[in-house]
Amino acid sequence: MAFVITRSCCKDSSCVPVCPVDCIRPAGAPGEYTDSEMLYIDPDTCIDCGLCMEECPVDAIYSGENLPQDLERFRDINAEYFKRHPLQQYGEPLPEEHDPVEPGSLRVAIVGAGPAGCYNACELLFIDGVEVDMYERLPTPYGLIRGGVAPDHLNTKEIVDVFDGAFTDDRFACHLNVEVGRDLTHEDLMAHHHAVVYAVGAFHSRTLGIPGEELSGHHSATDFVAWYNGHPDFADQSFDLTHERAVIIGNGNVAIDVARMLLLEPDELADTDIADHALQALSQSNVKEVVVLGRHAPRDAAYTLKEFLALAHLSGIDVVVESDYLEARPDDDIEFEMKVNAAREYAQREPSPENKRIVFRFLVSPVEIVGSDRVEGLRVVHNAVDESGAFVQGDPTGETELIETPLILRSIGHRGSRIEGLPFDEGRCIVPNDRGRVLGDDGEPLPGVYVTGWIKRGAHGVIGTNKTDAEETVARLWEDFDDGKLTSDIQDSASLQELVAQRDGEVIDWSGWRAIDAAERQRGEEASRPRVKFVDIAEMLAAAQSAASSR
Ligand code: NAP
């Protein structure tokens, strides 16, 4: 009985190299980035050894014999994938591991301690002799793993365990609560490191550019996510949860996370690490219907199949699909076809009047946020489609409709911001780069400067996608090292320590973070929850400090 990859797959791909028969796809050749958002196991080739399951950091892999009922469907999904994409060996040799380097010959700064930065650090620390300094604005690491992944996706958060070994290595130094651009400049980093890798993500939400965006009651989903995840910058935000209906613009996986969080029952939320303030507010919420709006037909919805399917298992919540376009195209690939099939199944279900509901509407674009002092509703236009059901850009029907609601969450993707001292591509909102090497205005690589993660490739991909992305960037860094391009005369680490210490405020190191982590878990234990997060920076610093003083 073959093993099966299921919905919590994070695409970290740790399972791929351990598979003795190489039957997990589509992982890409070693170091190659692929933009699919989950992996599949070929049931005809799997030899049932279970190594992939042991390696999976987020418990997404099950033996076919022990597949829980709510994941049963993934047996067919894994098999179907290989019917369309018969297993082929990549035929690429594994990249050779780099030889150890002389201590002191390669010190790398990584800016940002989110998944992109963490994978990058691990990839570098894997080679003996390399030293890594990681800088992060917040007193806590892990970026979107802590502040973005939905609280009810606790499995996904377990991915942090893969970084543990590397981050306790003496060659790794962590400088949390230090902001590059405020406390340290790009030039400071270049003066103390042979290379600098920016892994700063894409934190800001895109804007719609329609009238009424400034009205109170309209928020970015990014803010809402940061609020329920206890990001200290967003802890004092408030959202109007008094009305029965909330509307989400955009239908990516963030929209799906937000829809779930708005509707889960208080006892389900309490089983998670949601911030206390959000638990309290959502427990008193009156929201019963969340309307999720997409510009295209269901085939081209931005959510992924696994997140869409998972909604079917929420208790007391119906999924309603309103669309006339519920057939895949004859030449559609399997992931499209399964997505349309799932939408059709939802559309055929009869919702129950006593249940809450997530209503997916398609082929509508927002044209105006309506209200005098605050949001009263969203005006949408119905989009035109061609014979195949595809959305025709810029050709609306002129038929509009007002959806009444006091709460609109804009979930239309993220954008990266300019980094002081580096070029920036305003159109794509990324730092221009060639597979991770930052390119100057003349198109030539800037020596010793690299990017990884969303600031490199744009805001798409799941947590584990950052692993292959990091491999790609680090491969460029090694090429440059081997070509003698990373030999600048840098100042020593004592001078760096001094510089960092001059900044205003406490610097938290890895043991400080471990103390914060332990204190949050302890608070969680007392409340029978996985953890109770600190949302106030002063409280985080106090927790880190109390551990430092007891050492
Ligand atoms: P996304 O997947 O890019 O979705 C953005 C949505 O906004 C799309 O539906 C897009 O529609 C729509 N949109 C963009 N501009 C619009 C406009 N002007 N008017 C109306 N709609 C507009 O972004 P995301 O949901 O923020 O997710 C970012 C990445 O994180 C994705 O790769 C996602 O899979 C990943 N993620 C994964 C998980 C998970 O695995 N559980 C959870 C959260 C996020 P069009 O398609 O028409 O452009």
Side-chain angles (χ1 to χ4, degrees):
M1 178 78 64
F3 278 73
V4 178
I5 302 187
T6 66
R7 65 169 167 251
S8 18
C9 174
C10 70
K11 189 80 195 302
D12 158 282
S13 307
S14 304
C15 53
V16 176
V18 299
C19 173
V21 290
D22 192 21
C23 72
I24 304 177
R25 295 288 184 275
E32 181 193 346
Y33 170 78
T34 61
D35 62 4
S36 93
E37 299 203 354
M38 80 170 274
L39 298 170
Y40 310 96
I41 292 176
D42 180 10
D44 292 338
T45 311
C46 175
I47 54 169
D48 210 16
C49 68
L51 286 175
C52 55
M53 184 176 82
E54 282 169 29
E55 198 65 24
C56 176
V58 294
D59 301 330
I61 305 182
Y62 289 81
S63 153
E65 278 171 13
N66 302 322
L67 201 55
Q69 213 192 340
D70 63 333
L71 299 177
E72 188 57 49
R73 190 166 186 158
F74 283 87
R75 191 195 309 277
D76 287 346
I77 292 177
N78 279 246
E80 278 297 322
Y81 178 83
F82 288 94
K83 283 189 191 150
R84 308 288 176 94
H85 302 272
L87 184 71
Q88 287 178 349
Q89 301 304 317
Y90 283 128
E92 294 278 336
L94 279 173
E96 276 179 29
E97 228 174 73
H98 200 280
D99 289 336
V101 298
E102 279 297 308
S105 65
L106 183 59
R107 189 188 315 144
V108 183
I110 296 180
V111 185
C118 289
Y119 276 118
N120 228 88
C122 285
E123 193 63 23
L124 284 163
L125 289 164
F126 193 53
I127 305 302
D128 275 345
V130 182
E131 295 159 67
V132 172
D133 285 288
M134 185 182 263
Y135 300 86
E136 163 64 46
R137 177 173 88 81
L138 292 175
T140 52
Y142 300 141
L144 282 180
I145 305 175
R146 179 177 166 98
V149 171
D152 60 335
H153 282 180
L154 287 171
N155 277 4
T156 308
K157 293 169 194 250
E158 285 173 19
I159 196 140
V160 299
D161 295 347
V162 306
F163 308 125
D164 254 9
F167 292 179
T168 46
D169 194 302
D170 286 347
R171 295 174 294 125
F172 175 74
C174 185
H175 314 278
L176 302 168
N177 204 28
V178 176
E179 184 170 347
V180 172
R182 186 194 63 186
D183 304 319
L184 292 175
T185 63
H186 174 65
E187 289 71 29
D188 290 333
L189 294 180
M190 292 304 288
H192 290 87
H193 302 87
H194 299 101
V196 180
V197 182
Y198 284 92
V200 294
F203 193 64
H204 297 285
S205 166
R206 293 183 179 276
T207 50
L208 288 160
I210 59 173
E213 268 196 273
E214 72 294 347
L215 285 173
S216 144
H218 164 235
H219 312 261
S220 84
T222 311
D223 291 6
F224 186 67
V225 169
W227 170 76
Y228 65 55
N229 274 324
H231 190 299
D233 295 353
F234 297 84
D236 58 0
Q237 296 237 343
S238 61
F239 300 87
D240 186 342
L241 304 169
T242 56
H243 196 266
E244 289 209 355
R245 180 184 296 136
V247 170
I248 303 177
I249 302 172
N251 62 13
N253 283 340
V254 168
I256 289 204
D257 282 348
V258 165
R260 267 195 340 272
M261 293 305 294
L262 281 166
L263 294 179
L264 285 177
E265 288 298 323
D267 56 337
E268 291 169 303
L269 291 171
D271 282 344
T272 73
D273 67 354
I274 186 172
D276 263 357
H277 56 250
L279 176 60
Q280 209 175 355
L282 288 166
S283 298
Q284 290 158 9
S285 164
N286 288 330
V287 177
K288 298 210 161 25
E289 176 180 279
V290 178
V291 181
V292 179
L293 304 176
R295 298 192 285 193
H296 302 271
R299 174 192 183 277
D300 297 311
Y303 50 70
T304 51
L305 175 71
K306 64 192 179 96
E307 297 306 321
F308 190 50
L309 285 178
L311 298 175
H313 303 285
L314 299 176
S315 79
I317 300 174
D318 286 320
V319 177
V320 178
V321 166
E322 295 181 0
S323 177
D324 294 332
Y325 297 93
L326 294 167
E327 296 298 331
R329 299 181 201 159
D331 56 348
D332 266 343
D333 199 355
I334 184 69
E335 287 176 342
F336 282 109
E337 186 180 313
M338 289 192 287
K339 220 150 88 166
V340 179
N341 290 349
R344 192 169 58 244
E345 283 173 30
Y346 282 130
Q348 286 162 353
R349 288 186 190 172
E350 197 55 50
S352 149
E354 64 272 12
N355 278 353
K356 297 178 186 175
R357 58 181 67 183
I358 303 174
V359 181
F360 284 91
R361 298 197 49 192
F362 298 90
L363 289 165
V364 282
S365 288
V367 286
E368 182 187 0
I369 295 178
V370 178
S372 35
D373 297 334
R374 50 163 301 112
V375 170
E376 290 163 22
L378 178 71
R379 197 176 308 284
V380 295
V381 65
H382 292 244
N383 291 328
V385 291
D386 63 20
E387 310 83 60
S388 68
F391 157 53
V392 181
Q393 190 82 29
D395 186 15
T397 56
E399 186 194 333
T400 63
E401 174 190 349
L402 180 68
I403 306 174
E404 290 181 15
T405 180
L407 178 61
I408 298 175
L409 296 168
R410 179 181 84 250
S411 183
I412 62 170
H414 307 69
R415 61 179 170 79
S417 308
R418 180 179 284 281
I419 298 168
E420 202 56 47
L422 262 59
F424 193 64
D425 179 337
E426 296 287 351
R428 299 177 62 203
C429 297
I430 58 166
V431 172
N433 71 91
D434 172 22
R435 294 165 298 156
R437 270 190 197 107
V438 173
L439 301 177
D441 293 335
D442 57 0
E444 291 299 314
L446 294 183
V449 191
Y450 306 86
V451 278
T452 190
W454 279 6
I455 196 64
K456 168 189 176 187
R457 64 178 197 269
H460 51 84
V462 289
I463 301 291
T465 319
N466 292 296
K467 188 175 179 195
T468 41
D469 194 341
E471 286 167 7
E472 185 183 65
T473 293
V474 170
R476 304 290 83 70
L477 194 150
W478 281 122
E479 283 169 11
D480 293 346
F481 179 82
D482 292 340
D483 285 348
K485 293 178 180 160
L486 305 181
T487 52
S488 52
D489 202 7
I490 60 167
Q491 295 174 43
D492 63 14
S493 54
S495 132
L496 175 69
Q497 294 290 348
E498 223 170 275
L499 190 69
V500 173
Q502 279 168 14
R503 64 174 292 283
D504 201 15
E506 198 84 30
V507 182
I508 307 294
D509 62 10
W510 197 250
S511 61
W513 153 245
R514 297 304 291 262
I516 297 172
D517 183 39
E520 287 186 343
R521 288 177 193 272
Q522 176 64 36
R523 283 153 46 107
E525 214 171 299
E526 286 156 18
S528 305
R529 300 186 50 206
R531 83 168 58 228
V532 174
K533 285 181 179 173
F534 294 114
V535 297
D536 181 74
I537 290 195
E539 283 185 322
M540 295 177 189
L541 299 183
Q545 193 54 43
S546 68
S549 52
S550 66
R551 277 203 296 269

